[in-house]
Amino acid sequence: MKKCHIAPLACLAALVGTGLGAAPPTAAHTVHVVQPGESIQKAVDAARPGDTVLLARGTHYGSVNVTTPGLTLHGMGRGTVLRPAEGTSTAPSTASPLAKAADSCAAAGNGICVVGTKDQGADDVTISSLTVTGFDKTGIYAREADGLTVRDVTAVSNGVWGIATEYSLRGVFRGNTARNNGDAGLLLANTVKEEQGAVDTEGTVVEHNRLEGNRIGVTVRRLRNLTVEGNHLTGNCAAVFVVGDENKPKAGFVTVRANRIERNNKFCPKTARLDALQGSGVVVTGADDNLITHNVIKDNVGNSSLSGGIVLFKSLVGMPSERNRISDNLLQGNSPADLVNTDTGQGNTFQDNSCGSSRPTGLC
């Protein structure tokens, strides 16, 4: 592992050329360079807030715990790959990956774990420009990590989630690819393990990502005040889920805007919590005051109770969705219909959508 104190900036340029693609750190910060075969965890443990741990191109093995706020973990593009350590077991445990503490998260089969506590968050961490693949649980998992940025990351073929967060506000998820993960490519939740009201994310942004071949492209669970914009979602069983329940405050105030949602026709069998999934574009269930607008939603076809271009669906615990606005979307070739409303909630509106079919009729 090499260290480079950034004073002059030429030191960083000599190490990585144009690989970082961003403004260099300030003079007081250090770049810790990790070559394949060297310990990423050792570099992370040695880093201070504001430092960068730079992973050289090649394949790195093992999981990483990040608890230092303000740290950047940066690769050199898709050619920087993180995989499970060879010859070690990452067999699934009985506990949810979102319930793990920092000292056990990586050992449970997750890739990169950014984990703080209520008293000391792992805030303002950046993970960028690398591939994380083959982990039994989650490629990148964060808890109590406000201001997390994940950009230009490829999360592929992880057993549960590609990228997942819990109890984390003001996140930015931009320019990532999440492909062929066992559940959601990107999961944003207040908590999975417990029953609690929705958390205000204070403006988390999910934009310009490609989500392909997952069970669900993006799941927003029991959250408020979040934007999903400009993403391309294809080949999933379902593209976007906005999910709430009976807890207070209710989930909602999510904007789903200007996404391209096409051919999400992979079949996923029924689970204990959900009907089989196939052909779902945007599903809103048990959540209020959401805006679904200016999306292109085409050729999502299936026979599930959740199939259709945009679907309002009464939650499994019987909570209606209310005051949702579905406007100015282009919908074509979705089946059983472009617009589906099986919810009994009040105040939901469908306006100025270009579509050919709806259930019930009259929504187009």
Side-chain angles (χ1 to χ4, degrees):
M1 180 181 74
K2 296 180 181 178
K3 290 184 180 180
C4 181
H5 296 279
I6 312 302
L9 299 179
C11 179
L12 178 60
L15 284 171
V16 302
T18 59
L20 282 180
T26 63
H29 297 158
T30 300
V31 174
H32 308 256
V33 182
V34 183
Q35 300 291 338
E38 297 179 338
S39 171
I40 303 172
Q41 191 65 57
K42 184 177 179 180
V44 167
D45 290 345
R48 296 186 176 186
D51 285 1
T52 295
V53 175
L54 176 65
L55 308 184
R57 189 177 299 274
T59 301
H60 300 255
Y61 292 96
S63 301
V64 183
N65 287 324
V66 178
T67 59
T68 302
L71 184 74
T72 294
L73 183 63
H74 188 93
M76 299 184 72
R78 286 180 294 178
T80 298
V81 180
L82 183 66
R83 293 181 176 276
E86 295 179 317
T88 61
S89 173
T90 58
S93 70
T94 57
S96 164
L98 296 184
K100 295 295 181 180
D103 60 354
S104 62
C105 172
N110 300 298
I112 300 170
C113 305
V114 183
V115 181
T117 66
K118 290 183 179 180
D119 296 327
Q120 185 173 355
D123 297 343
D124 301 315
V125 169
T126 296
I127 302 171
S128 58
S129 297
L130 53 83
T131 295
V132 57
T133 183
F135 289 89
D136 282 334
K137 294 291 184 63
T138 307
I140 297 174
Y141 155 68
R143 178 188 175 99
E144 300 285 359
D146 294 351
L148 174 70
T149 296
V150 181
R151 67 171 186 266
D152 301 323
V153 165
T154 298
V156 58
S157 298
N158 297 290
V160 184
W161 299 298
I163 301 166
T165 69
E166 181 188 25
Y167 293 123
S168 300
L169 313 181
R170 301 185 301 279
V172 176
F173 303 88
R174 181 180 292 125
N176 305 293
T177 297
R179 184 174 64 249
N180 297 342
N181 297 287
D183 196 271
L186 179 56
L187 170 76
L188 305 174
N190 62 346
T191 174
V192 169
K193 190 76 172 177
E194 304 168 47
E195 290 290 328
Q196 293 184 4
V199 170
D200 187 333
T201 73
E202 300 179 14
T204 288
V205 174
V206 177
E207 63 181 9
H208 305 306
N209 303 285
R210 183 174 181 90
L211 301 140
E212 180 178 6
N214 309 286
R215 185 167 181 267
I216 302 172
V218 177
T219 298
V220 178
R221 183 171 180 178
R222 298 184 190 138
L223 294 178
R224 298 164 67 84
N225 189 13
L226 182 147
T227 299
V228 179
E229 181 171 9
N231 303 284
H232 187 192
L233 303 101
T234 187
N236 307 285
C237 302
V240 179
F241 256 66
V242 180
V243 182
D245 55 26
E246 74 275 22
N247 291 290
K248 302 293 184 180
K250 284 188 68 178
F253 292 98
V254 175
T255 296
V256 180
R257 178 171 53 216
N259 301 283
R260 192 166 189 91
I261 298 171
E262 302 173 294
R263 297 182 299 280
N264 292 280
N265 299 330
K266 180 180 174 181
F267 178 80
C268 292
K270 181 178 180 179
T271 68
R273 296 184 62 91
L274 275 180
D275 191 4
L277 295 178
Q278 185 181 38
S280 298
V282 179
V283 177
V284 177
T285 176
D288 298 343
D289 300 295
N290 302 290
L291 174 62
I292 317 298
T293 188
H294 289 96
N295 300 284
V296 176
I297 303 176
K298 294 183 176 182
D299 302 322
N300 301 283
V301 177
N303 294 313
S304 165
S305 61
L306 296 159
S307 299
I310 299 174
V311 181
L312 294 188
F313 188 82
K314 189 174 182 179
S315 75
L316 297 181
V317 294
M319 292 303 296
S321 300
E322 298 183 329
R323 300 180 303 281
N324 295 286
R325 292 175 291 153
I326 295 89
S327 67
D328 299 292
N329 299 284
L330 172 61
L331 303 106
Q332 293 179 355
N334 302 288
S335 179
D338 293 323
L339 298 175
V340 178
N341 184 9
T342 62
D343 197 286
T344 59
Q346 302 299 307
N348 298 309
T349 59
F350 297 80
Q351 295 180 328
D352 299 321
N353 299 289
S354 176
C355 57
S357 61
S358 70
R359 291 188 178 182
T361 60
L363 300 179
C364 288

